[in-house]
Amino acid sequence: NDISYLKGGKVQNEDYQIESKLFYHNTNSKISNFKETVKINGDDLQISGKNIIFTNDTIIFQGPTVIQTDELIINCINGYSKKSHKLELFDFVELNSHNQRIKAQYLNRNVKKNHNYFEKNIEIQVDTSTYIYGDQLNQIDNQSNVTGNCIVVLYNNNDSTTISGEEINIDEKKDILEIKNNILMRGTNIAGKCEKMQFKNQYTTIHMMSEPILWLDQSQLTGKEIILQTMGNNLDSLTIDKNPFIIYPNDSIPYHNQIKGKSLRGKFKNGQIEHIDILGNGQLKSFTLEDQSNKININNTNSSSIRMNFIKNDIKKVICKRSIESNNRDFEQNDPLLLDKKTIYLEGFNLKKR
């Protein structure tokens, strides 16, 4: 009832040519077991592994196995393929395609529908310095959806930036990755919050939308939309095209300096903000504690161009360049006007908790 070879051989069936060192076939159960250096060649795929079992319509993989098609290379430990239409893999999976590598503990693949479902410890490597993590990954054609503990990590030569949210959607055709809900950005030189974020242009442009907030050390930046441009995952430039508002603390007194305007442009150097320009309708409100009188001076300045210079993300100088109108006023520290919002805040002031 058994057919076998023990010193290497080949078997040909309707779909595949199979090579191995050891082969056992039970004619009653019609189960074939190939062991040691197994190689399977078919029209649409190649499989290599240590222990592979054939039943009527199923190929079972036991131990390290490599499955290769024209578009994919899959490394796995255990699993099975059913009628070349369904693939289910357990314990460990690594899928390599032309544009990414995916690792997980589980994969259920519907070949006909081009649908992949990954589960547990998802890691998507987009390139050598950009990774995506989550608990579940659904892929249909060029659309991917990641849920559960979603994280994007951007590595560079000096640092890494971590961005978390509730859901990640990737559209490969449009070259867009979108993160939704409760988004937090964390890095050595930067932090941020928003409810919607998009990566475009091969992950080089980051759009923060829906109540975006960006912190550069102690400075808070807000606006309609915050756009960060990167090079090699290093921050390169910053743009806010509508309603930029900057709030930064005063070292000596409990009042916040403020700058707002029509638009904002910023430039980074070595991962740290170097300067920021407020362009059009610039307004500055700053506070100073007078040394001799111990009074608080409030400066209100309007300027069509305001530049902020930074050293190690700390504001060192603010320069008003054109069309300058300025007024100063001193207040006693117990002056009730210092409790008046119109006195101490520019319109739109909204200090957020980090």
Side-chain angles (χ1 to χ4, degrees):
N1 293 330
D2 291 335
I3 301 171
S4 65
Y5 58 70
L6 304 177
K7 294 185 178 180
K10 297 180 181 179
V11 174
Q12 181 76 51
N13 64 18
E14 293 180 0
D15 301 310
Y16 306 106
Q17 183 187 80
I18 307 127
E19 297 180 38
S20 66
K21 286 187 177 180
L22 304 176
F23 167 65
Y24 305 92
H25 176 75
N26 186 292
T27 56
N28 291 329
S29 64
K30 297 183 179 180
I31 294 175
S32 299
N33 191 184
F34 298 86
K35 293 185 176 182
E36 303 297 330
T37 319
V38 184
K39 295 181 180 179
I40 301 171
N41 289 294
D43 293 335
D44 55 354
L45 86 164
Q46 293 80 45
I47 303 172
S48 60
K50 287 188 175 182
N51 188 15
I52 298 177
I53 300 169
F54 277 72
T55 67
N56 287 332
D57 60 357
T58 304
I59 305 173
I60 301 170
F61 318 115
Q62 295 180 343
T65 304
V66 179
I67 304 164
Q68 186 170 351
T69 70
D70 292 338
E71 298 178 350
L72 303 171
I73 299 176
I74 301 173
N75 293 276
C76 62
I77 303 296
N78 295 304
Y80 68 90
S81 174
K82 199 172 185 69
K83 290 184 178 180
S84 298
H85 301 320
K86 179 180 179 180
L87 186 66
E88 191 167 9
L89 306 174
F90 312 93
D91 300 326
F92 171 79
V93 182
E94 180 182 289
L95 185 150
N96 294 275
S97 64
H98 69 282
N99 62 343
Q100 60 183 208
R101 184 184 71 186
I102 302 171
K103 292 181 180 180
Q105 293 299 306
Y106 172 82
L107 167 62
N108 190 323
R109 173 171 169 77
N110 187 312
V111 178
K112 275 191 170 182
K113 295 182 178 180
N114 196 24
H115 176 209
N116 295 326
Y117 173 71
F118 297 86
E119 198 172 76
K120 296 180 181 178
N121 301 327
I122 308 298
E123 177 189 281
I124 305 171
Q125 182 179 348
V126 179
D127 54 40
T128 56
S129 55
T130 305
Y131 290 78
I132 302 165
Y133 300 93
D135 292 336
Q136 298 88 30
L137 167 62
N138 260 301
Q139 290 185 319
I140 301 177
D141 295 325
N142 295 304
Q143 305 284 332
S144 298
N145 173 257
V146 183
T147 54
N149 297 309
C150 299
I151 297 173
V152 176
V153 182
L154 308 174
Y155 294 99
N156 57 50
N157 295 333
N158 305 311
D159 190 17
S160 66
T161 300
T162 300
I163 303 164
S164 62
E166 293 183 3
E167 182 179 353
I168 297 173
N169 292 298
I170 306 169
D171 189 323
E172 291 184 22
K173 276 192 174 181
K174 294 181 179 180
D175 187 22
I176 295 175
L177 178 146
E178 183 173 280
I179 310 175
K180 294 181 179 179
N181 303 330
N182 297 318
I183 299 164
L184 298 176
M185 175 188 289
R186 302 178 185 89
T188 301
N189 298 309
I190 197 170
K193 288 182 180 180
C194 60
E195 291 302 310
K196 181 179 177 181
M197 180 182 287
Q198 288 186 344
F199 288 76
K200 298 181 180 179
N201 303 320
Q202 298 182 341
Y203 295 84
T204 61
T205 308
I206 304 171
H207 295 255
M208 300 176 66
M209 297 169 280
S210 299
E211 302 178 6
I213 311 166
L214 191 68
W215 287 280
L216 303 170
D217 195 14
Q218 298 299 312
S219 301
Q220 174 189 291
L221 283 69
T222 55
K224 181 70 175 178
E225 178 179 356
I226 300 174
I227 302 172
L228 294 166
Q229 192 72 35
T230 66
M231 294 182 66
N233 282 349
N234 290 290
L235 292 169
D236 180 70
S237 62
L238 164 68
T239 302
I240 303 177
D241 283 327
K242 190 174 181 180
N243 302 332
F245 202 119
I246 302 173
I247 302 171
Y248 57 102
N250 197 299
D251 293 335
S252 55
I253 47 179
Y255 299 97
H256 286 82
N257 302 323
Q258 304 145 53
I259 302 176
K260 60 183 287 190
K262 187 176 181 181
S263 64
L264 178 152
R265 299 289 184 271
K267 189 68 177 177
F268 292 86
K269 184 177 181 180
N270 298 325
Q272 296 181 336
I273 192 70
E274 185 178 41
H275 66 260
I276 288 176
D277 290 314
I278 296 290
L279 306 173
N281 303 330
Q283 297 180 55
L284 164 68
K285 184 182 288 287
S286 61
F287 299 80
T288 307
L289 179 64
E290 300 291 345
D291 292 334
Q292 294 181 351
S293 66
N294 209 33
K295 292 182 178 181
I296 293 175
N297 176 269
I298 299 180
N299 169 261
N300 289 285
T301 299
N302 295 328
S303 175
S304 61
S305 178
I306 302 174
R307 168 161 285 201
M308 307 170 69
N309 291 326
F310 293 76
I311 297 177
K312 294 183 178 180
N313 278 355
D314 187 27
I315 298 172
K316 292 302 180 183
K317 186 182 290 186
V318 179
I319 305 167
C320 298
K321 293 184 176 181
R322 292 190 296 270
S323 304
I324 301 169
E325 296 179 6
S326 180
N327 67 77
N328 292 271
R329 182 175 173 181
D330 291 334
F331 295 85
E332 298 289 346
Q333 293 199 33
N334 59 357
D335 192 317
L337 282 175
L338 291 176
L339 300 175
D340 180 36
K341 291 182 179 180
K342 290 183 179 181
T343 302
I344 61 174
Y345 298 144
L346 291 175
E347 185 179 354
F349 180 94
N350 189 3
L351 185 63
K352 300 285 189 177
K353 290 185 178 180
R354 297 184 71 157

